[in-house]
Amino acid sequence: MKKFFIAVLHILSGGDFKAVSLLCTKVVNGMTTNATVFTDPDPTLSDLATEGGKLITAIGKADSKSTRALRDKQSRKVFKMLQKEARYVNNVADGDEATILLSGFD
């Protein structure tokens, strides 16, 4: 029987802003490099990269209660986008581990 793999985030919530930011960068890089495999990502890689960039900026500016709240809000937004992207990757990969790994997800 063939093993069936799925893309996972390994992050429990959007509150782990550092992990969300790192995974976002990894996924954008992986899927961009393998654009011939991931031809119609949802969300788009442009949108994911833009929101990931906003998170990186927010992380650097989180020096007060209000800026930390903005960072956390942005992290949750990117986390939700990554969840949606993982569903797209799982659909494309159809259980194939090698294809999942190309995306930047584990």
Side-chain angles (χ1 to χ4, degrees):
M1 179 178 213
K2 180 183 171 187
K3 288 186 177 182
F4 190 87
F5 295 89
I6 60 169
V8 293
L9 277 68
H10 296 292
I11 304 168
L12 296 177
S13 74
D16 188 351
F17 59 87
K18 288 181 184 177
V20 170
S21 177
L22 288 172
L23 181 59
C24 182
T25 299
K26 185 178 172 188
V27 168
V28 168
N29 289 340
M31 292 180 70
T32 300
T33 300
N34 298 288
T36 58
V37 176
F38 305 105
T39 57
D40 193 25
D42 182 27
T44 67
L45 295 180
S46 175
D47 288 347
L48 188 57
T50 297
E51 296 304 325
K54 289 178 184 178
L55 176 56
I56 290 169
T57 299
I59 290 170
K61 292 182 177 181
D63 58 359
S64 70
K65 189 173 184 174
S66 63
T67 55
R68 284 190 296 275
L70 290 172
R71 173 203 63 200
D72 294 346
K73 181 178 179 180
Q74 185 64 23
S75 182
R76 288 188 300 273
K77 180 176 185 176
V78 174
F79 180 76
K80 288 178 184 176
M81 293 175 79
L82 287 167
Q83 287 178 314
K84 190 172 182 182
E85 200 75 81
R87 288 190 293 274
Y88 165 78
V89 168
N90 286 329
N91 187 47
V92 170
D94 194 30
D96 181 64
E97 181 182 28
T99 303
I100 290 167
L101 294 175
L102 289 174
S103 72
F105 285 104
D106 292 331

